[in-house]
Amino acid sequence: MTRTAIVTPDKHFPIHCQKAINVVCKAIEKVKPDIYVDLGDTGEWEYFSKHYWKGKNQKPLEDLIPLLDKDVKAVNKGMNQIDRSLNKIGCNERHFVQGNHEVWLDNFVVKYPYLKHYKTENALKLKQRGYEFHPYNRKKPLSIGKLHFTHGKFTTKYHAWKHLDHYGKSIMYGHTHDLQRYTSTDLDGTKSAWSLGCLKDIEHDEDWLGGKLTNWNHAFAIINFYNNGNYNVEIVEIIKGKTILWGEEINGSKK
């Protein structure tokens, strides 16, 4: 008997690609996974970011709170889309792997400890949603069978190689927004690292990146786990809001 998981990378709600999210939701309802893994950076969280306020006068707390609440509302609204599909097919095992953007929430609470409702777990209602929470870049990442999951730690040119070299085990991550795989084999067998791309609106960052071209890709993964912990990975790339999954076109432009 096998178990199936769907894994999604950086969505950066509300700066997401809605067509790509629609594809993911339709894929969930088609595949009917037993497990769902969110690799973090689920929200952009711009008002919690020091980058957003760089060169600006940050608002006083009483004026900042409505903006923070706006962020929280937008990201929850985005997660609701995916959760509706998970609820529809009865996928109850759900994992949230915290990204570096979510760490901005926790850092804000360190600064204002009486505002604990902005911590990642609380702001995203993870317990109520049925997600197990996995804090950012811990030494022991989420493990399912013989595959491990983290948000992502390195952004070098050959980051898949770097992640595999660092962890020494097969691992899947987001963070870099591009698709990359590196595989090595030793006497214990074959190990791989996968960078899973993103589900963000890629064009949105054109100004922030100064017009630089990117190698970012929209994608998600389907993983089948066997009883002995072995697995096979299927990377599903989304091109301009469409993909082909198991011989069927999924069009994110259509609801």
Side-chain angles (χ1 to χ4, degrees), residues 60-92:
L61 189 58
E62 61 269 24
D63 294 332
L64 182 60
I65 291 296
L67 296 176
L68 303 181
D69 289 340
K70 180 182 177 182
D71 259 7
V72 171
K73 183 178 180 180
V75 181
N76 274 278
K77 183 179 179 182
M79 289 187 69
N80 288 344
Q81 298 181 67
I82 295 173
D83 282 355
R84 278 194 292 269
S85 292
L86 294 173
N87 292 338
K88 186 174 181 179
I89 57 99
C91 177
N92 295 321

Side-chain angles (χ1 to χ4, degrees), residues 15-78:
I15 309 175
H16 59 289
C17 175
Q18 187 57 53
K19 292 179 181 178
I21 296 297
N22 290 344
V23 169
V24 168
C25 291
K26 290 182 178 183
I28 287 171
E29 294 178 23
K30 179 179 177 66
V31 175
K32 296 179 175 57
D34 308 286
I35 306 165
Y36 175 71
V37 179
D38 185 323
L39 288 178
D41 278 7
T42 303
E44 177 67 16
W45 305 116
E46 64 176 355
Y47 295 121
F48 288 87
S49 167
K50 63 182 180 181
H51 306 292
Y52 178 83
W53 297 106
K54 187 176 182 179
K56 303 176 184 178
N57 291 322
Q58 183 168 329
K59 294 179 179 293
L61 189 58
E62 61 269 24
D63 294 332
L64 182 60
I65 291 296
L67 296 176
L68 303 181
D69 289 340
K70 180 182 177 182
D71 259 7
V72 171
K73 183 178 180 180
V75 181
N76 274 278
K77 183 179 179 182

Side-chain angles (χ1 to χ4, degrees), residues 4-255:
T4 301
I6 280 184
V7 184
T8 62
D10 311 40
K11 291 161 279 293
H12 293 266
F13 292 120
I15 309 175
H16 59 289
C17 175
Q18 187 57 53
K19 292 179 181 178
I21 296 297
N22 290 344
V23 169
V24 168
C25 291
K26 290 182 178 183
I28 287 171
E29 294 178 23
K30 179 179 177 66
V31 175
K32 296 179 175 57
D34 308 286
I35 306 165
Y36 175 71
V37 179
D38 185 323
L39 288 178
D41 278 7
T42 303
E44 177 67 16
W45 305 116
E46 64 176 355
Y47 295 121
F48 288 87
S49 167
K50 63 182 180 181
H51 306 292
Y52 178 83
W53 297 106
K54 187 176 182 179
K56 303 176 184 178
N57 291 322
Q58 183 168 329
K59 294 179 179 293
L61 189 58
E62 61 269 24
D63 294 332
L64 182 60
I65 291 296
L67 296 176
L68 303 181
D69 289 340
K70 180 182 177 182
D71 259 7
V72 171
K73 183 178 180 180
V75 181
N76 274 278
K77 183 179 179 182
M79 289 187 69
N80 288 344
Q81 298 181 67
I82 295 173
D83 282 355
R84 278 194 292 269
S85 292
L86 294 173
N87 292 338
K88 186 174 181 179
I89 57 99
C91 177
N92 295 321
E93 184 175 339
R94 307 178 190 184
H95 298 275
F96 187 93
V97 178
Q98 187 181 33
N100 58 293
H101 280 235
E102 278 79 40
V103 171
W104 298 346
L105 280 74
D106 293 1
N107 288 342
F108 180 82
V109 174
V110 170
K111 187 175 181 181
Y112 302 102
Y114 51 90
L115 296 175
K116 292 183 179 179
H117 58 285
Y118 289 121
K119 287 192 69 174
T120 300
E121 296 167 90
N122 300 328
L124 294 181
K125 307 173 184 176
L126 294 180
K127 186 174 182 180
Q128 296 94 312
R129 292 178 181 277
Y131 285 79
E132 183 177 343
F133 178 64
H134 304 273
Y136 180 66
N137 277 343
R138 294 304 167 93
K139 291 181 179 179
K140 292 185 178 180
L142 166 65
S143 301
I144 303 174
K146 296 178 182 178
L147 184 57
H148 310 275
F149 302 88
T150 188
H151 172 67
K153 196 173 184 70
F154 307 103
T155 57
T156 58
K157 182 177 181 179
Y158 303 108
H159 49 80
W161 171 86
K162 183 64 176 177
H163 278 85
L164 187 60
D165 181 66
H166 178 79
Y167 288 101
K169 301 287 185 180
S170 290
I171 194 153
M172 182 173 285
Y173 61 97
H175 189 52
T176 61
H177 295 185
D178 67 340
L179 289 171
Q180 194 176 112
R181 175 179 178 175
Y182 180 81
T183 299
S184 69
T185 303
D186 57 26
L187 292 178
D188 291 327
T190 298
K191 304 177 183 68
S192 296
W194 288 267
S195 170
L196 198 51
C198 69
L199 296 167
K200 186 178 186 179
D201 180 353
I202 294 173
E203 294 182 1
H204 182 276
D205 279 340
E206 183 176 352
D207 291 336
W208 180 71
L209 292 168
K212 294 178 182 176
L213 298 177
T214 72
N215 63 341
W216 297 355
N217 312 92
H218 290 150
F220 64 96
I222 301 171
I223 306 171
N224 294 304
F225 291 95
Y226 301 93
N227 287 338
N228 62 2
N230 290 338
Y231 58 89
N232 65 273
V233 173
E234 178 180 356
I235 303 297
V236 183
E237 189 171 2
I238 303 169
I239 307 295
K240 295 184 178 180
K242 295 181 181 180
T243 196
I244 302 291
L245 178 59
W246 300 351
E248 176 187 348
E249 180 184 276
I250 298 181
N251 188 341
S253 300
K254 301 176 182 178
K255 294 213 172 179

